[in-house]
Amino acid sequence: MGSATCSNFRSSSLLPWRPSSQISHSLYPSKLRLPKLNRMNLDKDNLVVNNACGFNENGPLNWFPITPNKLFMQEAIGAEYGEGFETFRPDGPLKVDVDFLNDRLQEGFLKRIRYAMKPDEQYGLIFSWDNVVADTRALKLNAWKQLAYEEGKEIPVDGDMQRLMLHAGADHVMHKFLLWDEAESELERLKIRFSQLYYENLLTLEQPMEGLKEWLDAVSTARIPCAIVSSLDRRNMVEALERMGLKKYFQAIVTEEDGMESIAHRFLSAAVKLDRKPSKCVVFEDDPRGITAAHNCTMMAIALIGAHPAYDLGQADLAVAGFNELSVINLRRLFANNGSTFMDMQKQIVEKSPPKRKLTIDTIF
């Protein structure tokens, strides 16, 4: 019964929570004999279940569904060969890949006329949450420091080591960087506690990345639709956007509830929600893996220098130090020389070299 309540709480954060004291006692038999349980094991199990469901000793922990394995793992890039995700319809499953979306999301007659008059509206912008919309590096680093302090341990003071910690999964960080050789059950407890600390720090986040609001104002004036993708749950994502005053700028949100299995799948889901072809979308990323995922989806990629140095972001179509360096004209230039066959496979044309001139020597006798 306890595990079912936990799963129900995590699966939908929109349902109002009711304390167990309000449940009718008539649902249970008046005389129910339970076997005697070891007190220490019972307290330990209750602690794990409560923490996993977002509770502490004082009650619910800010409505946070704690999913450490989903939040702090290194996701697959995806779409290496153009594959997409699978959706379900009444007539059966439908596999949605990159080519399928580029073909099905073609503009109709009226849209082509509109885009001819207002070409900027044909694009779609996709923003990653981490270090693009919000500076989550500080949130994660503070969570690791708080966890280490609670456990009486230390984290490396080396800047490069800390940077690597922010881009690796929680399991990898504990084993390789922090060298915390704990039992498996203890590691699960530490990951859950780390997730709680991260969510608590998330409540203090009120400012977006510098220059982002002005950039979103510019693209909103140009009527370019925007989407945001993240592994956070929808409730916390929407609340964070509202605190930062950014919710009105995003027409689509892709979160944990969408069930995407890779970075590329999130980008494709965002393109579907924006009703834009993947080949007409621009992804804003700070991670080389995200840039690769965008290119696998035939999307353009603009990299923000900061979490990774510029030389790690060389594969991006454009790399900038901040949003204040961008203008809408930059988006037009990205697609200026693409035409309708952008990123289609083409045969390499080998030009025949001109015939060599034969040199003759005139001999005069």
Side-chain angles (χ1 to χ4, degrees):
M1 184 65 185
S3 60
T5 306
C6 171
S7 62
N8 291 338
F9 180 83
R10 289 179 52 188
S11 62
S12 175
S13 58
L14 300 179
L15 296 177
W17 176 77
R18 298 178 181 178
S20 58
S21 60
Q22 296 181 5
I23 300 177
S24 175
H25 296 284
S26 62
L27 298 177
Y28 304 95
S30 57
K31 295 182 179 180
L32 183 62
R33 296 183 179 180
L34 296 176
K36 294 183 179 180
L37 299 177
N38 185 287
R39 180 66 182 177
M40 294 183 60
N41 293 336
L42 181 60
D43 292 341
K44 184 177 180 180
D45 293 341
N46 287 338
L47 175 62
V48 173
V49 171
N50 289 341
N51 287 339
C53 296
F55 286 76
N56 59 14
E57 64 273 9
N58 297 322
L61 183 63
N62 300 319
W63 289 85
F64 292 151
I66 307 301
T67 53
N69 292 333
K70 190 68 175 177
L71 267 176
F72 307 107
M73 66 179 295
Q74 193 174 53
E75 290 184 284
I77 295 176
E80 284 81 0
Y81 303 99
E83 71 272 16
F85 53 88
E86 193 174 70
T87 184
F88 294 92
R89 294 187 174 183
D91 54 348
L94 173 65
K95 291 186 177 181
V96 180
D97 58 16
V98 177
D99 292 334
F100 177 88
L101 292 178
N102 278 324
D103 179 61
R104 291 297 183 90
L105 294 177
Q106 292 283 352
E107 300 90 354
F109 176 71
L110 295 179
K111 278 189 177 181
R112 286 199 299 268
I113 295 177
R114 181 176 182 84
Y115 294 160
M117 296 185 294
K118 298 181 178 181
D120 296 331
E121 295 184 13
Q122 65 183 314
Y123 307 130
L125 306 186
I126 302 173
F127 295 80
S128 289
W129 163 255
D130 290 321
N131 306 319
V132 174
V133 174
D135 185 8
T136 58
R137 290 173 296 175
L139 300 182
K140 289 183 180 179
L141 186 58
N142 287 337
W144 281 122
K145 289 181 178 179
Q146 291 172 331
L147 180 62
Y149 177 78
E150 291 179 359
E151 298 297 322
K153 300 181 182 294
E154 296 181 355
I155 63 173
V157 296
D158 181 65
D160 292 335
M161 190 72 70
Q162 291 184 359
R163 183 175 63 85
L164 294 174
M165 286 173 52
L166 300 179
H167 300 282
D171 288 331
H172 188 71
V173 170
M174 291 182 185
H175 285 295
K176 301 297 183 181
F177 297 105
L178 304 181
L179 303 178
W180 292 358
D181 296 328
E182 308 286 351
E184 190 66 26
S185 60
E186 187 68 11
L187 287 176
E188 288 298 321
R189 183 189 67 82
L190 292 175
K191 287 191 293 184
I192 291 173
R193 180 56 182 156
F194 172 66
S195 301
Q196 290 179 346
L197 294 172
Y198 176 80
Y199 275 118
E200 290 173 2
N201 293 336
L202 183 63
L203 286 175
T204 65
L205 186 63
E206 296 182 353
Q207 296 297 326
M209 297 291 283
E210 184 179 359
L212 175 61
K213 212 164 192 176
E214 292 76 13
W215 170 242
L216 290 175
D217 277 327
V219 298
S220 177
T221 303
R223 300 180 64 86
I224 303 176
C226 299
I228 183 171
V229 299
S230 172
S231 57
L232 287 173
D233 63 286
R234 187 173 302 274
R235 182 187 181 94
N236 285 295
M237 170 58 65
V238 171
E239 289 181 353
L241 292 176
E242 288 176 345
R243 286 196 303 271
M244 294 186 290
L246 301 180
K247 184 177 181 296
K248 61 181 180 180
Y249 296 110
F250 294 102
Q251 288 73 41
I253 299 176
V254 179
T255 56
E256 180 190 6
E257 287 82 355
D258 291 280
M260 299 293 107
E261 298 178 353
S262 66
I263 303 173
H265 290 176
R266 296 186 190 279
F267 294 159
L268 292 176
S269 177
V272 172
K273 292 186 177 186
L274 292 177
D275 193 24
R276 295 295 187 270
K277 296 192 300 182
S279 60
K280 289 294 183 180
C281 291
V282 181
V283 173
F284 291 83
E285 260 287 354
D286 77 309
D287 194 322
R289 294 169 54 83
I291 296 171
T292 302
H295 286 163
N296 289 348
C297 297
T298 69
M299 299 177 180
M300 290 292 188
I302 296 180
L304 267 73
I305 303 171
H308 292 270
Y311 56 79
D312 284 344
L313 306 172
Q315 58 180 323
D317 300 287
L318 178 65
V320 295
F323 288 102
N324 49 12
E325 297 182 9
L326 293 172
S327 64
V328 177
I329 194 66
N330 295 126
L331 302 179
R332 302 173 192 168
R333 289 175 178 171
L334 287 177
F335 298 95
N337 300 320
N338 294 331
S340 59
T341 59
F342 167 58
M343 292 192 76
D344 287 347
M345 295 183 64
Q346 298 179 0
K347 294 182 179 179
Q348 182 179 1
I349 300 176
V350 181
E351 297 182 357
K352 295 183 179 179
S353 58
K356 297 180 179 180
R357 294 180 59 187
K358 294 182 179 180
L359 300 179
T360 57
I361 301 175
D362 294 335
T363 305
I364 301 176
F365 294 97

